[in-house]
Amino acid sequence: MTSTSSASPGPAGRRPAGPNRVFRELRGSRSPAEFAAAVRRSAREIGERVSCDARYIGRVEAGEIRCPNYAYERVFLHMFPGRTLVDLGFAPRQTVRGRGARSPAVSTHERERRAARMPPAEDIMTTVEHHEESDVLRRAFMYGGPVAVASLGPPVARTTTASAAPARPGEPEAGAVEKAVRDIRLLDDRLGADGLYLRAGEKLRVAYELLDAGARRQSVSDRLHSGAGELALSVGWLAHDSGRYQDARSHYAEALATARMGRDAALEAHAFCNTSFLARDAGRPREAVRAAQAGQQAARQVPSHRLRALLALREAGGWAGLGDRGGCEAALARAEALYARGASTDDPEWMSFFGDAELAGLESQCWSALGDWSRAAACAREAVALQSPHFVRNTALFAAELAGDLTHLGEPEEAAEVGLRALGLLEQVRSTRITAMLASTAHGLRACRAHPVVAAFRARQRTVRQFRQQPLD
């Protein structure tokens, strides 16, 4: 293996943009797929979860990934002890996320002249220009609010305007991160994930930039760690619900790494909770069980019965996916007992969705996975009846689940009627997952298409599916 000493990062530790030849040398004779498998094995050794594949390795070697996220960083440093990210061919994190040193000798006029000279497609991640872009993004993050996310406007343009933002984040920036988390959750409840994911990802990038900038006060640093981790989970959920499972897995892994670095047990439990949910939906039920159990371990440090109840429900979903009825029923019993202890002021803020309707809905999903359609339909019906109108996406979800259960029970007309109600809600929200569930129900009702209500449901479902396939503006 070639020594990394020959690949000097250049002045001040900066590595120029271009192919990562050092990383390619480290791969050696292994194929990208074989090396990706080695990365995943190393991740498991330290308790991380990364969805590394040959494409990711190719992007690293091509220089497209100038600096990995925190989860990958931990894995790579574990694989190659004693090395730094720069030793592995990456750019220092601070130069990628906007902490490069500002040169006082460069005037505003000179910066404008340089920017005008650079072609639009060229990488302009120089110290000054990138730092100024970061300043603009900070202001957009602080003042954009829910309207900025909901409007689905274009990304903030590059500019050379002098920054008024503080060089180091403080209470206002920490509050802005926390507000962004609340805004995204609120909009997801009302609008669904499909139209929010890409724009919310920009908020996440700026949150980690603020975290990397380093707060002077420990209390602010703790808030930024927690806020950035929660934002990663929110963006990961948007990816999850819009069918981008690999993206969701990556965001959840970054949130877990952030939780561990910040020693935040509540955030770690949340990350494992979402990871379990994703594993179940992605057809990895055993991983769903393990992640839920790890989350319950972390949740022992959090005085919230409701959090432990939700994690027990995630575990039950994993057991159901494995076809283990006994394991599922035991986990459901624990969940119901914990839920019955009631809510408290110590319950995490993100759990506002977890009420009687969600409890019934998650139990319905377990019975559905076990093929007990009668019990699944009864629970889904209860979930629809109990759900608050505010949670439009969840109301649509439970209605879609009920329609599927009724189809399996041989109740085509009621299934179509419920399906039509769910399709009506999809005029307000965009969720790839719910759309796919209703498409499956429409397919299951094809033998009953002579029934007028079934025909109406199938026709409307085709229209909604075609609309969902159109790209967002």
Side-chain angles (χ1 to χ4, degrees), residues 190-206:
R190 294 178 177 175
L191 304 176
D194 288 12
L196 298 174
Y197 171 60
L198 295 178
R199 275 68 177 189
E202 183 65 16
K203 297 275 187 181
L204 177 61
R205 187 178 78 81
V206 180

Side-chain angles (χ1 to χ4, degrees), residues 339-411:
Y339 185 86
R341 296 183 184 182
S344 78
T345 56
D346 292 317
D347 294 336
E349 183 179 336
W350 61 268
M351 293 190 65
S352 60
F353 73 96
F354 186 49
D356 294 348
E358 186 73 15
L359 178 69
L362 292 178
E363 184 176 352
S364 171
Q365 293 170 10
C366 290
W367 298 128
S368 177
L370 290 168
D372 191 335
W373 304 111
S374 179
R375 295 181 76 172
C379 289
R381 198 186 303 278
E382 182 180 4
V384 172
L386 292 173
Q387 187 58 267
S388 167
H390 165 77
F391 294 100
V392 180
R393 191 199 63 83
N394 280 5
T395 303
L397 171 66
F398 298 145
E401 289 175 351
L402 177 57
D405 297 335
L406 291 168
T407 299
H408 285 284
L409 279 174
E411 301 288 345

Side-chain angles (χ1 to χ4, degrees), residues 135-154:
D135 292 339
V136 173
L137 291 173
R138 284 173 187 248
R139 291 198 300 275
F141 187 90
M142 290 172 63
Y143 304 120
V147 176
V149 180
S151 67
L152 307 180

Side-chain angles (χ1 to χ4, degrees), residues 102 108 111 131-139 159-167:
R102 187 185 294 269
T108 301
R111 290 195 297 267
H131 191 97
E132 288 171 344
E133 179 191 17
S134 300
D135 292 339
V136 173
L137 291 173
R138 284 173 187 248
R139 291 198 300 275
T159 181
T160 55
T161 304
S163 171

Side-chain angles (χ1 to χ4, degrees), residues 210-448:
L210 291 170
L211 183 61
D212 286 342
R216 289 190 176 89
R217 294 171 54 190
Q218 186 61 44
S219 61
V220 173
S221 180
D222 291 344
R223 286 178 63 189
L224 285 172
H225 264 93
S226 178
E230 289 292 346
L231 190 55
L233 291 173
S234 292
V235 175
W237 163 247
L238 296 178
H240 180 171
D241 197 45
S242 56
R244 300 172 173 92
Y245 285 1
Q246 291 299 325
D247 288 352
R249 191 176 176 89
S250 177
H251 288 309
Y252 292 166
E254 185 154 22
L256 181 58
T258 303
R260 287 177 170 172
M261 285 189 293
R263 298 178 182 177
D264 187 333
L267 178 60
E268 182 173 347
H270 189 184
F272 275 124
C273 184
N274 282 30
T275 299
S276 176
F277 191 10
L278 175 65
R280 189 208 67 173
D281 282 359
R284 300 190 299 270
R286 196 169 299 281
E287 180 184 330
V289 171
R290 291 198 303 268
Q293 291 172 340
Q296 290 170 76
Q297 182 74 21
R300 291 180 179 178
Q301 303 178 54
V302 184
S304 170
H305 298 308
R306 287 288 168 92
L307 175 59
R308 292 166 59 200
L310 180 57
L311 284 159
L313 285 166
R314 297 290 187 234
E315 182 184 343
W319 289 124
L322 289 168
D324 188 333
R325 190 182 186 96
C328 177
E329 290 180 339
L332 283 175
R334 291 201 314 275
E336 290 172 357
L338 287 164
Y339 185 86
R341 296 183 184 182
S344 78
T345 56
D346 292 317
D347 294 336
E349 183 179 336
W350 61 268
M351 293 190 65
S352 60
F353 73 96
F354 186 49
D356 294 348
E358 186 73 15
L359 178 69
L362 292 178
E363 184 176 352
S364 171
Q365 293 170 10
C366 290
W367 298 128
S368 177
L370 290 168
D372 191 335
W373 304 111
S374 179
R375 295 181 76 172
C379 289
R381 198 186 303 278
E382 182 180 4
V384 172
L386 292 173
Q387 187 58 267
S388 167
H390 165 77
F391 294 100
V392 180
R393 191 199 63 83
N394 280 5
T395 303
L397 171 66
F398 298 145
E401 289 175 351
L402 177 57
D405 297 335
L406 291 168
T407 299
H408 285 284
L409 279 174
E411 301 288 345
E413 293 186 79
E414 186 180 2
E417 290 172 355
V418 174
L420 281 168
R421 294 206 300 272
L423 287 172
L425 292 170
L426 286 184
E427 294 177 357
Q428 304 175 54
V429 299
R430 295 193 67 167
S431 167
T432 296
R433 187 162 67 112
I434 298 172
T435 302
M437 291 169 63
L438 291 170
S440 177
T441 296
H443 181 72
L445 291 173
R446 65 192 183 282
C448 305

